[in-house]
Structures are given as structure tokens and as C-alpha cells.
């Protein structure tokens, strides 16, 4: 791990001044974030201390709660890792939400085709691969719209998100509906043999956890120590200059989209095979959009992203306690997440600007 | 050292640190039961009826305490699963957990298997009938088809255009059964009370796709109700969890139209809509829940499939009747009288509506002449009935 850290490309010999400035920035960020969040809570009529306490207890207060945090963390981390590729290449892959959904659709398709055979484990594994392929293909659509048709990836992504949501709804209400039932509540639950295996006593799937951890490590390696990472950064840093170095920005962008889509698709595959065990309209749980916030708050850092994702997963899981214990709406957690990102970005932009003006 | 990592970890630590010592969970002494509501606890509809039922248990069974969580559906609470909520309720001391929606069937079965020492109630389900239920899970529901018959009856006596709209949720056995019951009530009033030709009665079912409006996912129930009223339907019977039909009817009356609505589920659903509300067939979960909680407390729990009817002595008795019909202000005096006789007929068994000859929508025979449907035939109604318009989503 140490070598990976060292290869991150950041000079370790940070000057004392810079270090102090960094600490000051962190302190300022935390202060602003806490102050801002408290203000939001006060405006919402929530007692801030109790709210924070409930969120912590509700997410870390017991193993079963922590295990649910991990269930949220896995897809969130997968999608965040995917976004790191596109952000490095300077792409705003808003379409990640749709890529999660299409991963879920492809996984559902594979599981329906495979069925609960004696080779159920195989089917599940193939279904996960199908999920990655589904997400990657969907990302490729946005990529081609960007590189071939000149449609900005934000608009292409948003459009494709709507299309994929429409497709999910149509499948649930149409071809994949439960026999004798027409309901938006989802397709039929898969046979238990097709679920991602988990240790029941721990309510934890080592396979899924391993996938997410592996995704982080592979992403870090690819971004820091391979040509792909170098190319992505070159194109993200300056597309025109990259051309001068003999790079093909469009090919690099497409590669970034493929990686992002694949990981987002895997997140969707986990939602189907590990969480809901069927396809539902809200299959993505909004994790694509949430992953965008994660990566922004992590400031595009591959090691910070899983930490932020864990923090967000805690917020999401703890928030369910708000209505139960404080009669508060649990959507407050979304407000807290949003205000944190805004506050952190604001502090960062102020400090960057002041550093620049000093330099 | 990585700056971002430090930043985020510091942030997490600072935010969390003051609360760590307070993590102990207080011990609970009373008998705690949990309630999972698919919609908001104050929806004036299906979920509120369950919520009030839980409160009734707290009031009438000494030593009980309810914990509840509402809006339990993946659209309102993304990423949250039934099992997760049950785990949490059990940690909070719940000894019995009630899941109020058809939508929770798989989740609550999974939770019941995971917590074999906790008692579970799935409302509207059939896991006990199908043998899928573990022994700690029971099913309960009300014989709402009677309430729906009364609703259809009131609608047919009121409509001037002869066109009744049924605002349906999603299509399954339960909703086919209830829509068909409303149709049978309407046809009975039309044919037997006001002596009209049944072919002149239009009964259209339009499904929105879920129990309540989910923007972008379901059809918008307000829009569906509007379409009904704008195309000559003057009475809309609601089969969904919420009260859009009443709201839209009020708007239409304000615009000068003569229209009515019949909401569903909750005894107070007509509140605020007295000018349009013909009445409401409602669930009264209190007595059913209280009996289950008592069984659980006293060790008399057993796997059962419970289908509770109205108390025919007084269908609006909150202590005894699971299904009732609260007459609304907009129902005419004449119709009220006829409805009273109709209810008496149902009570005595003189009026049998699930009785042949009855055909399915596609013309196949459901019940031969004189044949009375069994509970199972009514529960598992595979198709809408002949004379009704709308999708059936027939089982293969």
C-alpha cells in the first residue's frame, strides 16, 4: 500500500507553509461545514446536537447498522471509482445514474435468462459481468455522442438517464412484470440461489465487499501507475496540448467512459443481486448522483473517495432514525450532504484563489 | 501525507466525537410492536388507517408501545430495505412487527426468517395460504369487498351520466377483487334499485401503477381523475391509498360541474370534501391488531391467515368492525335509505353479489348460475368481470 501511496505523484516533501495552509483549509472547511449544516438544521426546526447524535447512533451504533452502511457503501464506492476516470479526463459524467440503472437491467436480464440452475453461482457471476457490460455500453453511448456528434456529455448523460429510467419502468410494467400483476413495485424476486452470497450472521457479503475494495485499488493503480492514467490526466489537463503529444483525446475519453460505465454498471448489478434481489423503479437509489458529490467532496482523490462514500453511507443509513426518534423528515440527510459539499467546495475555491493571488 | 484524506477524516472525527459516549441504547420495558407504513402516517388514507390502528392497540392493550416508520418504499427511501428496518425495530425492542403493504411481501418474509423469535404480521398477503410463510408470520386483511360493494352501490344511485370511474392502484388479485366488488355493488343498485338496463352502465377502471402517486413512475392520479370528470364520468371511486379523487372532484364542483367522489381506506377521508364525498369504505385495524398483539403477548401465537369482515350488527363500531362504510354528506337521503337496506341485505345474506351467473371480462364463466364464490375464488380473482372496462393483467 505504501508504494501505491508513494506513486500517487504528490511530492511528499510538502513545505511547512503549505502544510500549515492545508491544515488551516481543513479547519476552515470543517468549521464552515458544521456551521452551515447547523444553520440548515435550525432553519428546518431540528435540534442540531440531537440530530447529529441520532445520525451517528443510527449508522455506527450496532453491527447490524454498520452492515447496512456497508451495503450502501459498496455501490456508492463503485460508482465513485468509475467517476474518477471520467473526472480525470475532464468529463462530467452525469450519465453515471443511467449507467447504474443499465447495469441493473443487464444483470436482471442475465439472471432471468440463467435462472436458478445448479450452476446458480455461475449465473450470478456472469450476471455481474453483464451488469458491467450494460453500464459500459450505456456510457459508450454518451461517449460517442460527445466525440462523434459533439453533444456535451452533461446533456447526453442527462438525456440518457431519462431514457434508462423510462426503460426500467417499461420493463417492470411490461415484459418483465410479475405474472397476473401489473405493478410499479418491481419484478419478481429472484431465487435465493441467485443472490450474491453473504454471511448471514454478519449480514455481509465478502464477495461484494471484496469487489468494492478491489475497485478502489485497481482504480488507484490504473490512475497513478499506468499509461491510461497518464493519458487521462493529459487529456483532462489540456486537450489541445495532449494532441501535440500525439494523444487521441477522443479515444482516451471513450476509454474513460468505458471504465466509468463498467464500474457504475457493477454498482447497479450489486443493487439487483445484493440489495433488492429484483429490479425496481428506483433501482439506482440515486447513488450515481450521490457519487458525483462524493468525488467532488473527495476532490477527485482516489483514497479520499471511499472515506467520503463511507461518511455519506453513514448519513444515509442514520437518517432513517430521524423520523423514528425526532419526527424529522429523513430527507434532511440529503440537505446535510448537499450543504457539506457546497461548503467544502466554497472553502477550497476561496483558499485556492487566495493562494494564487499570494503566489 | 494526503491532504484530502486528512481533511475528510478530520471532518468525520470532529463531527462524530462528542456523541460516542452516548451510544448506549435505553432498555425498554413495555411490549413494543413495530409498524411499517408504505405511505405517510397522515395520508388520510391507507397508511393513516394502520397508524390509527396501532394507536388503538396502545390505548386498549395495557403495557404496549408502538414504534413506526412511514414512507417505507424504495422511491421515498432509496436504498432502505424492509430487512434493515426490521433489524432496527428489533434492536429497539420490538417483539412483533407489522408490515402494512402488499409491496413488503418478500422483504417481510425474509425478515421473519431472519428473526424467528419475533412475531410478524403481513397485511394483505397470502404467504400463510401458499405455505411460504415461516411459523412466526401471519397474514391479516379485511373483507373490504363489502365496503367496495357499498361504494359502488352509492355511486350508481348518484351518477347522472351512468358513467362510473374507478381509480385503480396496481393490478393484482386484491385490486381486481375490490374493483370487481365495487362494480357488482354498482350493477346491483342500477339493476335492482333504480331498474335500469345494466348495459347502460359504464364502469371504467384505470390503473395508475402503484398504491399512490410516485411522480415520474406512476400515472398521476389527479390527472386520471380529471380525465374521468372531463369525459363524462361524474362519480369516481378511488382504489388508491390517497385522496386525490376527492380533491379533484372539489375543483370540478368549484368550476360548476356536478360530480362526486368516493375515497378509500380511512374513516376520515371525506374530511374537507363534504360537498362531493358520497362516503368512504374504510379499514378499522384496531380490533384485529389488538387481538394479534394479545396473542403474541400471551403465547397463543399461531400461523394464521385472517380475513376479518364487518361487524354486521354495526359496521361502524370501532371496537368490533374491521370494515366499515362512513356515509358522506353528499349522498342523498333517498340513496342513504336504499344503502341502509342494501347493507341489511348483505348482513343477512339475502344479497349475495359474488354469485352466478357471473362471467369474466373475456366471456369465460366465473360462476355458474346459482353458484356462490368461495373465499379463495374471491381472494384470487384472476380477471375483472364482464361489464367492466379496463386492463385485467390476467394470470397465465
Amino acid at each position: 500500500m505504501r508504494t501505491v501511496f508513494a506513486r500517487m505523484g504528490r511530492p511528499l516533501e510538502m513545505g511547512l507553509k503549505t502544510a500549515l495552509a492545508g491544515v488551516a483549509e481543513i479547519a476552515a472547511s470543517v468549521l464552515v461545514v458544521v456551521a452551515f449544516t447547523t444553520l440548515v438544521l435550525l432553519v428546518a426546526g431540528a435540534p442540531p446536537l440531537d440530530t447529529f447524535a441520532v445520525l451517528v447512533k443510527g449508522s455506527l451504533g450496532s453491527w447490524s447498522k454498520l452492515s447496512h452502511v456497508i451495503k450502501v457503501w459498496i455501490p456508492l464506492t463503485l460508482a465513485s471509482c468509475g467517476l474518477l476516470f471520467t473526472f480525470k479526463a475532464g468529463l462530467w459524467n452525469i450519465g453515471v445514474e443511467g449507467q447504474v440503472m443499465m447495469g441493473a437491467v443487464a444483470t436482471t436480464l442475465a439472471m432471468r435468462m440463467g435462472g436458478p440452475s445448479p450452476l446458480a453461482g455461475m449465473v450470478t457471476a456472469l450476471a455481474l459481468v453483464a451488469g458491467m457490460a450494460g453500464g459500459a455500453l450505456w456510457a459508450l453511448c454518451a461517449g460517442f455522442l460527445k466525440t462523434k456528434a459533439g453533444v456535451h456529455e452533461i446533456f447526453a448523460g442527462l438525456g440518457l438517464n431519462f431514457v434508462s429510467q423510462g426503460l426500467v419502468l417499461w420493463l417492470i410494467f411490461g415484459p418483465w412484470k410479475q405474472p397476473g400483476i401489473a405493478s410499479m413495485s418491481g419484478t419478481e424476486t429472484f431465487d435465493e440461489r441467485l443472490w450474491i452470497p453473504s454471511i448471514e450472521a454478519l449480514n455481509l457479503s465478502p464477495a461484494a465487499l471484496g469487489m468494492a475494495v478491489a475497485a478502489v485499488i485497481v482504480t488507484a493503480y490504473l490512475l497513478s501507475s499506468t499509461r491510461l492514467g497518464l493519458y487521462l490526466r493529459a487529456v483532462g489537463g489540456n486537450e489541445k496540448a495532449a494532441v501535440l503529444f500525439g494523444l487521441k483525446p477522443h479515444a482516451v475519453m471513450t476509454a474513460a467512459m468505458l471504465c466509468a460505465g463498467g464500474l457504475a454498471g457493477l454498482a447497479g448489478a450489486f443493487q439487483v443481486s445484493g440489495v433488492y434481489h429484483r429490479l425496481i423503479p428506483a433501482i439506482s437509489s440515486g447513488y450515481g448522483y450521490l457519487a458525483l458529490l462524493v468525488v467532488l467532496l473527495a476532490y477527485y482523490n482516489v483514497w479520499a473517495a471511499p472515506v467520503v462514500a463511507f461518511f455519506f453511507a453513514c448519513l444515509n443509513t442514520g437518517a432513517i432514525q430521524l423520523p423514528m426518534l425526532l419526527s424529522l423528515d429523513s430527507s434532511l440527510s440529503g440537505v446535510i450532504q448537499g450543504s457539506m459539499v457546497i461548503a467544502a467546495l466554497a472553502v477550497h475555491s476561496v483558499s485556492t484563489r487566495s493562494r494564487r493571488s499570494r503566489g | 501525507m494526503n491532504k484530502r484524506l486528512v481533511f475528510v477524516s478530520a471532518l468525520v472525527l470532529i463531527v462524530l466525537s462528542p456523541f460516542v459516549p452516548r451510544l448506549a441504547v435505553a432498555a425498554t420495558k413495555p411490549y413494543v410492536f413495530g409498524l411499517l407504513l408504505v405511505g405517510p402516517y397522515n395520508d388520510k388514507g391507507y397508511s393513516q388507517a394502520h397508524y390509527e390502528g396501532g394507536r388503538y392497540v396502545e390505548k386498549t392493550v395495557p403495557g404496549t408501545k408502538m414504534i413506526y416508520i412511514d414512507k417505507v418504499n424504495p422511491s421515498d427511501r432509496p436504498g432502505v430495505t424492509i430487512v434493515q428496518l426490521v433489524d432496527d425495530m428489533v434492536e429497539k425492542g420490538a417483539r412483533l412487527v407489522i408490515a402494512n403493504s402488499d409491496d413488503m411481501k418478500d422483504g417481510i418474509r425474509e425478515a421473519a426468517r431472519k428473526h424467528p423469535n419475533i412475531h410478524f404480521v403481513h397485511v394483505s398477503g397470502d404467504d400463510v395460504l401458499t405455505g411460504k410463510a415461516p411459523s412466526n408470520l401471519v397474514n391479516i386483511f379485511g373483507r373490504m369487498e363489502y365496503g367496495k360493494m357499498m361504494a359502488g352501490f352509492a355511486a350508481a344511485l348518484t351518477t347522472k351520466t351512468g358513467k362510473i370511474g374507478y381509480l385503480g392502484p396496481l393490478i393484482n388479485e386484491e385490486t381486481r377483487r375490490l374493483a370487481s366488488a365495487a362494480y357488482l355493488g354498482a350493477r346491483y343498485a342500477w339493476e335492482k334499485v333504480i331498474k335500469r338496463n345494466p348495459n347502460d352502465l359504464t364502469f371504467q377502471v384505470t390503473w395508475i401503477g402503484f398504491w399512490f402517486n410516485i411522480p415520474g413512475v406512476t400515472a398521476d392520479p389527479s390527472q386520471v381523475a380529471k380525465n374521468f370528470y372531463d369525459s363524462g364520468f361524474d362519480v369516481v371511486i378511488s382504489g388508491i391509498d390517497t385522496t386525490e379523487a376527492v380533491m379533484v372532484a372539489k375543483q370540478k364542483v368549484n368550476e360548476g360541474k356536478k360530480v362526486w367522489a368516493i375515497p378509500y381506506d380511512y374513516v376520515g377521508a371525506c374530511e374537507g370534501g363534504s360537498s362531493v364525498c358520497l362516503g368512504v369504505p374504510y379499514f378499522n385495524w384496531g380490533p384485529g391488531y389488538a387481538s394479534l398483539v394479545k396473542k403474541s403477548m400471551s403465547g397463543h401465537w399461531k400461523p394464521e391467515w385472517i380475513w376479518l369482515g364487518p361487524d354486521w350488527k354495526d359496521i361502524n363500531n370501532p371496537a368490533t368492525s374491521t370494515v366499515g362504510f362512513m356515509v358522506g354528506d353528499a349522498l342523498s337521503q333517498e340513496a342513504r335509505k336504499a344503502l341502509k337496506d342494501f347493507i341489511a341485505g348483505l348482513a343477512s345474506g339475502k344479497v349475495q353479489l359474488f354469485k352466478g351467473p357471473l362471467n369474466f371480462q373475456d366471456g369465460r364463466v366465473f360462476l355458474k348460475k346459482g353458484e356462490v364464490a368461495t373465499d379463495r375464488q374471491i381472494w384470487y380473482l384472476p380477471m375483472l368481470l364482464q361489464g367492466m372496462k379496463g386492463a385485467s393483467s390476467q394470470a397465465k
Side-chain angles (χ1 to χ4, degrees), chain A residues 64 184-185 301 321 330 348, chain B residues 2 4 77 91-92 103 209:
Chain A
S64 89
M184 280 302 178
S185 47
N301 182 296
Q321 302 295 327
S330 47
H348 183 80
Chain B
N2 190 319
R4 287 291 137 191
R77 301 199 187 282
E91 271 176 34
K92 288 190 167 69
D103 198 35

Side-chain angles (χ1 to χ4, degrees), chain A residues 5 8 10 12 14 22 25-26 29-30 33-34 49-50 52-53 56-57 60-62 64-65 68 72 169 173 177 179-185 189 192 195 203 275-278 280-282 285 287 297-299 301 303-304 307-308 311 317 320-321 323-325 329-330 340 344 348 355, chain B residues 1-12 14-16 18-20 22-25 67-71 74-81 83-85 87-89 91-92 102-103 106 110 113-114 169-173 176 207-211 214 216-218 392-396:
Chain A
F5 263 108
M8 288 293 294
R10 273 173 197 271
L12 288 174
M14 216 190 245
E25 189 189 323
I26 293 165
S29 298
V30 172
V33 164
V34 170
L49 282 182
D50 287 347
F52 287 130
V56 175
K57 267 191 240 170
L60 305 171
S62 70
S64 89
K65 292 197 171 78
H68 288 296
V72 177
L169 294 178
F173 211 62
K177 69 179 183 185
I181 292 174
S183 162
M184 280 302 178
S185 47
T189 304
E192 245 170 272
W195 302 4
N203 186 29
V275 181
Y276 289 109
H277 309 130
R278 61 192 167 129
I280 59 167
S285 300
Y287 292 158
L297 193 55
Y299 208 66
N301 182 296
W303 300 111
V307 180
V308 177
F311 181 55
T317 310
I320 198 72
Q321 302 295 327
M324 280 208 256
L325 296 176
D329 200 292
S330 47
M340 276 182 175
H348 183 80
R355 224 174 294 158
Chain B
M1 190 61 202
N2 190 319
K3 203 170 66 179
R4 287 291 137 191
L5 185 65
V6 175
F7 159 57
V8 177
S9 336
L11 192 148
V12 173
I14 288 174
V15 173
L16 305 192
F19 314 110
V20 174
R22 291 211 253 154
L23 289 176
V25 179
I67 50 177
Y68 76 96
I69 175 95
D70 65 349
K71 296 199 267 180
S75 298
D76 278 320
R77 301 199 187 282
V80 172
T81 59
V83 178
Q84 167 184 359
L85 295 174
D87 286 351
D88 186 55
M89 285 184 156
E91 271 176 34
K92 288 190 167 69
D102 140 75
D103 198 35
D106 297 305
E110 199 184 328
R113 290 211 187 104
K114 191 173 167 189
L170 46 87
I171 313 178
N172 66 12
E173 281 135 0
R176 279 193 290 261
W207 310 99
I208 65 163
F210 197 64
W211 299 104
I214 305 173
V217 174
T218 62
S392 265
S393 197
Q394 182 200 3
K396 267 177 214 153

Side-chain angles (χ1 to χ4, degrees), chain A residues 337-351:
Chain A
Q337 280 163 352
S339 43
M340 276 182 175
V341 175
I342 292 171
L345 287 180
V347 170
H348 183 80
S349 112
V350 167
S351 74

Side-chain angles (χ1 to χ4, degrees), chain B residues 185-248:
Chain B
R187 204 181 66 177
Y188 180 85
W190 191 257
E191 218 179 342
K192 302 275 155 58
V193 180
I194 51 178
K195 315 279 184 205
R196 311 263 306 258
N197 182 346
N199 296 332
D200 297 339
L201 177 70
T202 303
F203 192 98
Q204 165 79 46
V205 186
T206 303
W207 310 99
I208 65 163
F210 197 64
W211 299 104
F212 46 79
N213 184 30
I214 305 173
V217 174
T218 62
D220 179 353
S222 300
Q223 205 55 50
V224 173
K226 262 189 204 121
N227 288 347
F228 271 134
Y229 291 129
D230 289 343
S231 50
F233 291 82
D234 60 352
V235 183
V236 172
I237 302 173
S238 173
I240 65 172
D241 285 6
T242 46
T243 57
E244 281 87 350
V246 174
M247 300 301 137
V248 175

Side-chain angles (χ1 to χ4, degrees), chain B residues 190-357:
Chain B
W190 191 257
E191 218 179 342
K192 302 275 155 58
V193 180
I194 51 178
K195 315 279 184 205
R196 311 263 306 258
N197 182 346
N199 296 332
D200 297 339
L201 177 70
T202 303
F203 192 98
Q204 165 79 46
V205 186
T206 303
W207 310 99
I208 65 163
F210 197 64
W211 299 104
F212 46 79
N213 184 30
I214 305 173
V217 174
T218 62
D220 179 353
S222 300
Q223 205 55 50
V224 173
K226 262 189 204 121
N227 288 347
F228 271 134
Y229 291 129
D230 289 343
S231 50
F233 291 82
D234 60 352
V235 183
V236 172
I237 302 173
S238 173
I240 65 172
D241 285 6
T242 46
T243 57
E244 281 87 350
V246 174
M247 300 301 137
V248 175
K250 263 171 67 183
Q251 284 169 20
K252 290 289 164 190
V253 164
N254 289 340
E255 289 166 17
K257 280 202 164 178
K258 282 207 82 133
V259 298
W260 298 270
I262 300 179
Y264 176 36
D265 291 319
Y266 175 58
V267 64
C270 281
E271 271 165 39
S274 56
S275 57
V276 297
C277 195
L278 297 178
V280 56
Y282 66 91
F283 288 105
N284 173 40
W285 295 105
Y289 281 180
S291 134
L292 282 172
V293 166
K294 280 183 205 153
K295 278 183 199 168
S296 167
M297 290 171 89
S298 63
H300 292 91
W301 186 267
K302 61 174 190 289
E304 310 174 75
W305 177 78
I306 306 164
W307 204 9
L308 297 168
D311 176 2
W312 288 115
K313 275 180 240 125
D314 175 6
I315 62 168
N316 291 318
N317 183 344
T320 55
S321 188
T322 297
V323 172
F325 187 88
M326 193 55 76
V327 170
D329 290 347
L331 190 67
S332 72
Q333 290 306 321
E334 243 174 277
R336 278 171 203 234
K337 249 189 80 202
L339 180 65
K340 216 176 152 193
D341 295 342
F342 177 64
I343 293 171
L346 288 173
S348 67
K350 250 186 233 159
V351 179
Q352 286 266 23
L353 296 188
F354 276 107
K355 183 178 175 185

Side-chain angles (χ1 to χ4, degrees), chain A residues 6-18:
Chain A
R7 282 195 207 155
M8 288 293 294
R10 273 173 197 271
L12 288 174
E13 62 279 5
M14 216 190 245
L16 187 64
K17 248 186 181 176
T18 337

Side-chain angles (χ1 to χ4, degrees), chain B residues 11-164:
Chain B
L11 192 148
V12 173
L13 281 179
I14 288 174
V15 173
L16 305 192
S17 57
F19 314 110
V20 174
R22 291 211 253 154
L23 289 176
V25 179
T28 44
K29 268 188 196 148
Y31 176 93
V32 178
F33 65 98
L35 181 57
L36 300 170
L37 302 168
V38 66
Y41 74 95
N42 56 355
D43 64 357
K44 275 193 167 186
Y46 189 71
S47 287
Q48 187 162 358
H50 287 273
Y51 175 80
E52 309 272 337
R55 289 277 174 245
Y56 175 91
V57 173
E58 277 186 323
K59 252 185 269 159
T60 56
V61 185
T64 55
K65 184 181 175 303
M66 169 170 77
I67 50 177
Y68 76 96
I69 175 95
D70 65 349
K71 296 199 267 180
V72 179
N73 65 79
S75 298
D76 278 320
R77 301 199 187 282
V80 172
T81 59
I82 302 295
V83 178
Q84 167 184 359
L85 295 174
V86 169
D87 286 351
D88 186 55
M89 285 184 156
V90 171
E91 271 176 34
K92 288 190 167 69
R95 314 257 290 278
L96 174 136
V97 176
I98 302 168
N100 91 328
S101 176
D102 140 75
D103 198 35
M104 304 170 183
K105 191 180 208 170
D106 297 305
I108 207 67
R109 192 192 305 137
E110 199 184 328
R113 290 211 187 104
K114 191 173 167 189
H115 298 280
N117 298 322
I118 305 293
H119 291 148
F120 288 87
V121 179
H122 182 224
V123 179
S124 85
D126 64 350
D127 272 6
V128 176
L129 279 183
T130 58
K132 287 183 188 170
S135 63
N136 54 335
L137 175 68
V138 308
N139 293 128
I140 188 170
F141 206 53
R143 291 182 186 267
M144 182 45 80
E145 54 280 13
Y146 290 116
K148 290 289 184 181
M149 286 170 189
M150 297 167 203
F153 186 90
L157 290 187
T158 307
T159 177
K160 306 282 180 254
T161 61
K163 292 169 91 173
I164 298 169

